[in-house]
Amino acid sequence: MNYESTFIVCPELPVENVEEITAKVIKLVESAKGVIKSVQQIGKKRLAYSINKFREGSYVFMELTGTGELVSALEKFFKFNDAVIRFMIVKVDKKRVVKKPAKDVKSEEAKLQTKPQAVEVK
């Protein structure tokens, strides 16, 4: 199954520690026979509301593939790691492509080429 995981790390931690936590998550996913598609360290962002008296946090976004056991292992890791102040794991369906109806090119060109008619004023 495809999953997306976003977790927020305490903003007081240096970047090296955020990278270390991310590396631990990657090892955890690989040990649970999961595959990581992408990892993005977004950086520090202001939170919508304070969490544990923090007004900002360091965000990390991951796309991964694995089983339900992987999700439970990730949740357990995030819950017991004090540096992680929030996390979210979401199951993702196949991306749906919405096709827009094709525009009628001829009618668009006709609208652009019509000139306003002259009006007689008496």
Side-chain angles (χ1 to χ4, degrees), residues 12-23:
E12 297 171 350
L13 289 177
V15 177
E16 297 83 23
N17 290 9
V18 176
E19 291 173 356
E20 184 179 311
I21 292 171
T22 305

Side-chain angles (χ1 to χ4, degrees), residues 40-104:
Q40 296 176 0
Q41 290 187 352
I42 298 171
K44 286 187 183 179
K45 297 280 184 183
R46 184 166 173 82
L47 301 173
Y49 54 90
S50 62
I51 301 172
N52 298 340
K53 299 183 182 177
F54 294 116
R55 293 297 296 158
E56 58 183 21
S58 297
Y59 283 72
V60 179
F61 174 77
M62 305 175 79
E63 292 181 73
L64 46 105
T65 304
T67 62
E69 295 171 5
L70 169 69
V71 174
S72 62
L74 280 175
E75 286 178 348
K76 190 175 188 180
F77 175 79
F78 290 142
K79 285 180 185 176
F80 292 113
N81 193 330
D82 292 334
V84 177
I85 58 176
R86 276 288 191 272
F87 70 92
M88 180 174 65
I89 303 171
V90 179
K91 181 179 169 183
V92 179
D93 291 333
K94 292 180 181 178
K95 299 203 178 204
R96 297 179 185 168
V97 178
V98 179
K99 293 184 179 180
K100 295 181 181 177
K103 291 183 180 178
D104 187 13

